[in-house]
Amino acid sequence: MIILAATPIGNLGDASVRLRDALEHADVVASEDTRVTQRLLAGLGIRNRPRLIALHEHNERQKADELVELARDRDLLVLSDAGMPTVSDPGFPLVQAAVAAGVDVTAIPGPSAVITALAVSGLPTDRFAFEGFLPRKAGDRARRVAELAMDRRTLVFFEAPSRLAASLDALADAFGPDRPAAVCRELTKLHEEVRRGGLGELAAWASGGVRGEICIVVGGAAAERADAAGALERVLELAASGTRLKDAATLVAAESGLGRRDLYEAALAARRSPRADADRRLNPPVVPRNGG
């Protein structure tokens, strides 16, 4: 079978008993960086010296079928440099190929930067989404965060220290500078740091340069803003289908409890120019409810 094994994200003391046992008895290990795996073996005092096969983002699709066939006859232990394989790390194409070929896949659970960052962020944990790394290019990054601006779940991102300030700026532009967030740096390591505050405040802090492994955790959109954005989209959809704009605003106001006049004026503003429409999507107005 294929065994996906979580490795420590910083502190070697977090290596589980099952991970140590698997490393001690493994014949073949596919790992993101074989040099990191060698250091892990040495750091944990593992005497076993398994065959190491590199499995990284540049070769994993080419290697998948070969490794699946190898796993038909023996256990294949799969490691990323830190945390669980397949979670923004190599391994997913291998698992896909194994499932398609009928080869068993199991996991040795353990440390996760996503869950650790979420737990210490101080932000809601009941509903969350992991978004991996934001796009490198500014335009692609802006489009991605615009799509997420009204998501009411807590969002978790990975980010490289060199792009942290730019990503926080993009998030602040799309979500608003006061949206609560946390930057979690060097989790479980000696210099662990969790910096909490509004996105604008965190972007200003990060502009001075930050080092280490980074997770960003961002609070979800407030329910009222998300409801207003959805209602405004509904007005525009009805108008596009032929309903008079005033009638569309009246209908949606009755459905949502939001103010008819405010919905109508927001829809007019969205119609005036592409720029206004873009601003609406990135930072929609809070439409008062009827009677308030």
Side-chain angles (χ1 to χ4, degrees), residues 67-290:
L67 293 177
V68 166
E69 290 307 310
L70 187 152
R72 289 188 187 277
D73 301 319
R74 65 182 73 185
D75 288 345
L76 173 66
L77 189 64
V78 180
L79 310 176
S80 67
D81 288 348
M84 178 62 74
T86 76
V87 182
S88 273
D89 278 327
F92 176 60
L94 176 62
V95 172
Q96 275 190 313
V99 170
V103 171
D104 289 340
V105 180
T106 189
I108 297 176
S112 164
V114 177
I115 299 302
T116 303
L118 180 69
V120 302
S121 68
L123 295 167
T125 60
D126 54 338
R127 296 182 64 218
F128 69 94
F130 173 56
E131 287 290 328
F133 286 90
L134 287 171
R136 292 172 180 265
K137 295 182 178 179
D140 294 339
R141 185 165 55 235
R143 282 187 286 274
R144 172 73 64 80
V145 297
E147 293 170 358
L148 298 171
M150 289 301 105
D151 197 319
R152 291 171 61 177
R153 298 171 296 180
T154 300
L155 302 174
V156 185
F157 305 88
F158 286 163
E159 193 49 276
S162 60
R163 297 196 300 272
L164 177 62
S167 289
L168 288 171
D169 277 333
L171 287 164
D173 286 345
F175 294 8
D178 297 327
R179 180 79 71 89
V183 175
C184 305
R185 187 180 71 85
E186 295 289 88
L187 289 170
T188 78
K189 299 178 184 177
L190 179 63
H191 298 292
E192 174 178 303
E193 178 183 18
V194 180
R195 179 76 61 144
R196 304 176 182 87
L199 282 168
E201 175 190 347
L202 292 173
W205 163 74
S207 65
V210 179
R211 295 182 178 180
E213 300 289 331
I214 304 289
C215 287
I216 305 170
V217 187
V218 185
E224 187 175 35
R225 293 195 69 81
D227 290 348
L232 192 48
E233 292 291 344
R234 173 73 173 143
V235 172
L236 294 172
E237 288 171 2
L238 286 171
S241 68
T243 305
R244 291 179 61 230
L245 190 61
K246 284 187 177 180
D247 293 338
T250 300
L251 177 62
V252 175
E255 293 174 346
S256 65
L258 298 174
R260 179 190 60 78
R261 177 179 294 179
D262 295 286
L263 279 170
Y264 176 70
E265 291 178 353
L268 279 179
R271 276 183 159 186
R272 286 190 191 111
S273 71
R275 177 63 185 172
D277 184 61
D279 288 343
R280 173 184 58 79
R281 291 175 184 275
L282 292 173
N283 195 22
V286 177
V287 181
R289 294 187 177 274
N290 287 328

